[in-house]
Amino acid sequence: MKKDIYSILNLWFIYIVFYICFKHLFMEDTFLYIIMDVFFLILFLRAGYKKIKIPIRREWVFHFILVINMLFSTLYTINFGNAFKFCLVYTNFLVIAVWFSFYDGWQQIFYKWLKIGCLFHLSFTYFSVLFTDKAFKLTEHFLDSEAQKLTIRLAQESNYYGGIAGQTGTNAFFFTMLIGLFVSEWCASYKTKTITKLLLGCSCIGLILTGKKGLMIASLISTVFVCCISRNKFSKRGKICFISFASLGMLIFSNIFGAEIKKILSHSVLSRLIIMEGVLSAIVQNPILGNGINSIGYFTYDAHLGHNIYLQMWAEQGIIGFIILIMALIFPILWTGAKIRKTSEDIEMNNLNCYFSLFVQIFIIIYGFSGNPIYDYNIVITYFLALAAGFSTKRRWSNA
């Protein structure tokens, strides 16, 4: 890869990771997408776009159908402006990911900067645990008043930490991505570095410190899935031991703090049930076509998202959108699994790409039952780039 292409890719992924990790700090985010598209246009033109033919690949078909269905639903949605922006951003991310899936050699750069961005949040979370008051003085310069109050309240009342993200769920997502990267490296390599195992353990602790039960469960299931599908027999015993100790630790933790967890769960379940009533009422009103993309906030209290991507998709895009979403989530897993079977065990980077892709895909599916992963922009672009990493061809950059 020529030095200038490498430099542009570095700048591109520095910006992408900045968007993923710090988008929440900006109330007005339109300029973020303009900068992103300018960067992408420069990369697109510099990489020799004229020499590449872009057929419709089967891996992305259902995602494009889902976007078309989203655009159609804007015709009858409640707020056309918000719905159209959502579709535009979603399509933008999808096009970028599809283009990257035709190339190879960019994944290492993406992983490097994603680790750096997420490790920053992990470090700040540990800093918040040790020096809570000092951390609050720092976050007040970045977070709005509501996010700051929520961060302080969760830390003081429940010992849950949102860090500089201003939200425990967002913070937990960063640690989940770290777990995915480190688990994938462990599964793809016959010689796992000690630092990888150490950082994996620190990431798991960081995830627990956020108190996000849905993300913990989704991360654990994704880890088990990737470890089971891994063909690296040398480290399989170590991975099984890690999963066993992690599960045992969660069991012991739940027994010791059972009463506190039950209290927290009862409050969480109650709030989710109130939200679910609004989602179900929206489904009943228009079960076939739905009420239009990005409309669920008009049916739930305090304009909350549905906390279930499947029911929210049904409420917004009808039963048709629900079926398309299931197809878009399931079929890429089958195609990524097929690629793993065709890839030699010795090709470590290809296996790393596929394992990380599978981890993120399983995470989205599981977390989708209790969260809003396909409606959070920073999660969406991470998901699409993870798909692109797993789907990527052997094509090198034209100027290499």
Side-chain angles (χ1 to χ4, degrees), residues 336-356:
T336 308
K339 185 176 180 180
I340 291 175
R341 291 192 295 270
K342 294 177 182 178
T343 303
S344 171
E345 293 183 40
D346 299 327
I347 306 178
E348 184 175 318
M349 195 62 213
N350 282 357
N351 284 320
L352 170 58
N353 294 337
C354 290
Y355 293 152
F356 180 63

Side-chain angles (χ1 to χ4, degrees), residues 67-82:
V67 168
I68 293 171
N69 188 252
M70 286 180 182
L71 289 169
F72 173 74
S73 73
T74 61
L75 298 176
Y76 52 86
T77 193
I78 297 173
N79 189 321
F80 175 80
N82 288 338

Side-chain angles (χ1 to χ4, degrees), residues 86-100:
F86 179 86
C87 293
L88 192 62
V89 173
Y90 204 92
T91 304
N92 197 15
F93 292 164
L94 179 58
V95 170
I96 288 171
V98 169
W99 187 78
F100 269 95

Side-chain angles (χ1 to χ4, degrees), residues 32-89:
L32 294 174
Y33 306 110
I34 295 174
I35 296 174
M36 185 184 298
D37 287 338
V38 169
F39 263 122
F40 181 65
L41 181 61
I42 293 171
L43 186 59
F44 183 71
L45 295 174
R46 191 67 188 85
Y49 67 96
K50 293 181 180 179
K51 298 180 181 180
I52 183 171
K53 295 180 179 179
I54 304 183
I56 298 177
R57 296 175 59 182
R58 63 177 184 173
E59 294 93 337
W60 299 103
V61 166
F62 288 111
H63 284 288
F64 275 108
I65 295 175
L66 185 64
V67 168
I68 293 171
N69 188 252
M70 286 180 182
L71 289 169
F72 173 74
S73 73
T74 61
L75 298 176
Y76 52 86
T77 193
I78 297 173
N79 189 321
F80 175 80
N82 288 338
F84 185 74
K85 179 186 176 180
F86 179 86
C87 293
L88 192 62
V89 173

Side-chain angles (χ1 to χ4, degrees), residues 160-178:
Y160 292 157
Y161 297 88
I164 203 170
Q167 189 183 61
T168 52
T170 303
N171 215 26
F173 168 69
F174 300 140
F175 306 152
T176 299
M177 291 302 99
L178 283 176

Side-chain angles (χ1 to χ4, degrees), residues 239-311:
K239 289 175 285 189
I240 292 174
C241 288
F242 170 77
I243 294 169
S244 300
F245 279 116
S247 302
L248 181 62
M250 290 180 66
L251 180 62
I252 294 173
F253 182 83
S254 63
N255 286 332
I256 295 175
F257 301 101
E260 289 81 358
I261 292 174
K262 186 177 181 181
K263 181 180 178 182
I264 295 169
L265 276 174
S266 62
H267 173 74
S268 177
V269 170
L270 180 62
S271 61
R272 296 297 172 90
L273 287 175
I274 296 173
I275 293 172
M276 199 56 60
E277 287 180 4
V279 176
L280 293 176
S281 68
I283 292 174
V284 170
Q285 286 190 32
N286 203 334
I288 306 300
L289 293 179
N291 300 280
I293 193 67
N294 218 27
S295 63
I296 198 66
Y298 293 91
F299 298 91
T300 58
Y301 88 98
D302 286 345
H304 277 85
L305 291 176
H307 286 286
N308 185 306
I309 59 175
Y310 309 103
L311 293 180

Side-chain angles (χ1 to χ4, degrees), residues 69-133:
N69 188 252
M70 286 180 182
L71 289 169
F72 173 74
S73 73
T74 61
L75 298 176
Y76 52 86
T77 193
I78 297 173
N79 189 321
F80 175 80
N82 288 338
F84 185 74
K85 179 186 176 180
F86 179 86
C87 293
L88 192 62
V89 173
Y90 204 92
T91 304
N92 197 15
F93 292 164
L94 179 58
V95 170
I96 288 171
V98 169
W99 187 78
F100 269 95
S101 71
F102 285 94
Y103 288 103
D104 193 17
W106 56 269
Q107 295 93 333
Q108 302 96 313
I109 304 172
F110 174 50
Y111 301 152
K112 177 183 72 175
W113 291 113
L114 184 59
K115 282 181 189 176
I116 291 173
C118 293
L119 282 171
F120 170 83
H121 286 283
L122 183 65
S123 301
F124 192 87
T125 298
Y126 279 108
F127 177 78
S128 299
V129 175
L130 297 173
F131 308 100
T132 307
D133 292 335

